[in-house]
Amino acid sequence: MSTRILVVEDQADNRRILRDLLSSVGYEILEAVTGDEGVTLLL
Amino acid sequence: MESRRKPQGHLFRKYLVLFVILISGALLTSGLLESYFAYQEHKTALARLQQATARAAAAKIAQFVTEIQHQIDWTTRPQSGPPEVALNQRRFDYFWLLRQVTAITEIGQLDASGKEQLRVSRLGRDVVGSQADFSRDLKFLEARSGKVYFGPVYFRQESEPHMTIAVAGSGAQAGVTVAEVNLKFIWDVVSQIKVGKTGHAYVVDDRGYLIAHPDISLVLQKLDLSAQPQVQAAHAGVPRADDAETTMTAPDLLGRSALTTYAAIAPVGWSVFLAQPLREAFAPLYASLLRNAVLLLLGLGLAVLVSLFLARKVVTPIRTLQAGAAQIGAGALEHRIDIRSGDELEALAQEFNHMAAQLQESYASLEQKVEVRTRELAEKGRQLELASQHKSQFLANMSHELRTPMNAILGYTELIMDHIYGEVPEKISEILERVQQSGHHLLDLINDVLDISKMEAGQLTLALNDYSLAEVVQTVFSAVESLAVEKGLTLTISLPADLPVGKGDERRLAQVLLNLLGNAIKFTEVGEVQVRATAADGVFTVAVSDTGPGISEADQQKIFEAFQQADSSITRKKGGTGLGLSIVKRIIEMHGGRVWVESRLGKGSTFWFTLPIRVEQQKEAT
């Protein structure tokens, strides 16, 4: 089971860069645009 | 203004003294002149009166003597006939003369040889042919020489003044008639003369003896007055009609100072003196003087009163003016000076009032203007504050807004170069490297500009915490070591082992060191870059030296200003924002330290900064 990382970032580019970078080294990425979304995903 | 010394005003006193001097001076002068002339006139009048009296008395006495002389003359005529008859005739003549002239007490006849032939007397029996020899006697000799002889005064019966008169007859064989004359008549004349109450007349003979005086006892004392000044004057001077010449002040016979007048009795060489004690003579004058003095005193008193009044009248408006001007001067601009003297002073007061009114008006309009300006300024201030807030807001926004796209650019570039998106051809990889460099440079620029702007806006706040200088140096060293190694430079650190724990903004101090070390490495081609630090007296002293090209004297002044590099072409060649030293300077100053450079062209540069070890409060950067 791969490690999941939650990325909460409102800027699409930043989000994408993080996703591309982290996924390229094998992490599973969860993304959220706002804090509320992030909290929801986390729970 | 309060401390200004006021001149002590004595105007009132000055005017008072002036007026008193003027008025009393005039009064005194006129009073003294009047008194002087009154004295002179009185004295002249008195002298004239005394002179007239004296001359009258002298004339009377002279007439008396001359009359007797004439009578005697008459008896000297030669008697004709035989000697017996002649003798009887002469004897009869003598009897007749004694009857006629009561003043003659005795009369006698000397013959040409000086022998007494006959003597008829009231007091004794007639003496005939006594032949007593008088040829040596002065009375005989003088009469024979052709002059009338007036003998010295002598006294018979101790109270009757007498005098011998001798007259020679005409012809060589004529005898000399000798008469003894009672001078009581002169005493009568003298006694009758009254000069004032105590004034009197007296007669002095040619030898200076007193021969007549109302007080007969004085005469009997045979007083010799020849030493007295009035007698000497009478004997010395030829008596003249001039009153002043014969009037003088001399002591009278009682020793009182007296106004004395004399007149000569020409035939006998005697003098009549009239003496009135000065005290009495000038009594009316003294009374008049006293009256004058009283009037003068009254006048002076009046003068003082008038002077007081005048001085007050002159000075009061001036004082009012002074007080009013002082009040206006002290700021009471609404004060008005009230003087109604109808002269220049009133005009002056009006000028002052006018001035005060003008001042008041200007003041009011000035206050109004100041108020308006103050309101305007306050408005501007509010606007500026607002603008500043907007600017701060803008900067805060910008830092975020600018960094976000930079992150994207640099992030994507890095991902591409890390082959996240697949293989990258060699050529594009090279270009991407340039993009990455330019991106980093742009990010540096943005960061520096934002820092500077924050500092200028006073928005940068230091985070003051404990730190270890050695650690900060070490961190920066690690960051730049690779650059130095790349350029083949020696990078050395020289720190004492026991540096104290500092307090300050660690991150900003690292920025300072990074800037200085980065510059040193950037500009030095060959040699070494060295960092030294010491701690003394509560201050860190840090030096970053290099063996670079050095900085000229003129440029040393400019490099700490924003966007200044010693050579603007360097920015292009070496990169850098031109803001590094400016930021360094501000950060150091905000810590209360100081930064400076020591450098010579071709000899490398040393950047120094001092830093309080424990910074408790942020300072204002200049």
Side-chain angles (χ1 to χ4, degrees), chain A residues 11 13-14 16-17 20-21 24, chain B residues 404 407-408 412 415 420-421:
Chain A
Q11 278 288 324
D13 280 326
N14 288 352
R16 168 132 190 228
I17 289 168
D20 291 352
L21 178 64
S24 72
Chain B
T404 305
N407 260 344
Y412 286 129
L415 290 183
I420 302 296
Y421 303 114

Side-chain angles (χ1 to χ4, degrees), chain B residues 82-191:
Chain B
E84 315 295 297
V85 179
L87 186 69
N88 275 331
Q89 181 60 43
R90 194 173 296 281
R91 200 171 169 182
F92 176 79
D93 283 350
Y94 285 177
F95 279 132
W96 186 82
L97 192 61
L98 287 181
R99 278 179 73 102
Q100 286 292 305
V101 186
T102 49
I104 298 178
T105 311
E106 193 179 284
I107 188 161
Q109 163 77 14
L110 306 181
D111 66 9
S113 61
K115 304 264 190 317
E116 187 183 62
Q117 300 300 322
L118 174 66
R119 186 169 52 174
V120 179
S121 172
R122 289 179 196 281
L123 307 171
R125 288 205 279 168
D126 297 354
V127 180
V128 178
S130 73
Q131 298 298 332
D133 187 5
F134 289 102
S135 61
R136 298 268 173 226
D137 201 300
L138 203 60
K139 59 192 176 190
F140 175 75
L141 292 175
E142 213 164 280
R144 285 288 292 171
S145 68
K147 282 195 278 181
V148 178
Y149 169 78
F150 296 103
V153 177
Y154 64 94
F155 294 90
R156 289 192 172 195
Q157 297 158 0
E158 295 302 313
S159 65
E160 301 280 307
H162 279 74
M163 176 180 70
T164 305
I165 299 178
V167 181
S170 51
Q173 292 309 307
V176 170
T177 305
V178 178
E180 304 302 325
V181 179
N182 187 334
L183 299 179
K184 194 158 185 309
F185 173 79
I186 299 176
W187 185 79
D188 287 339
V189 170
V190 164
S191 297

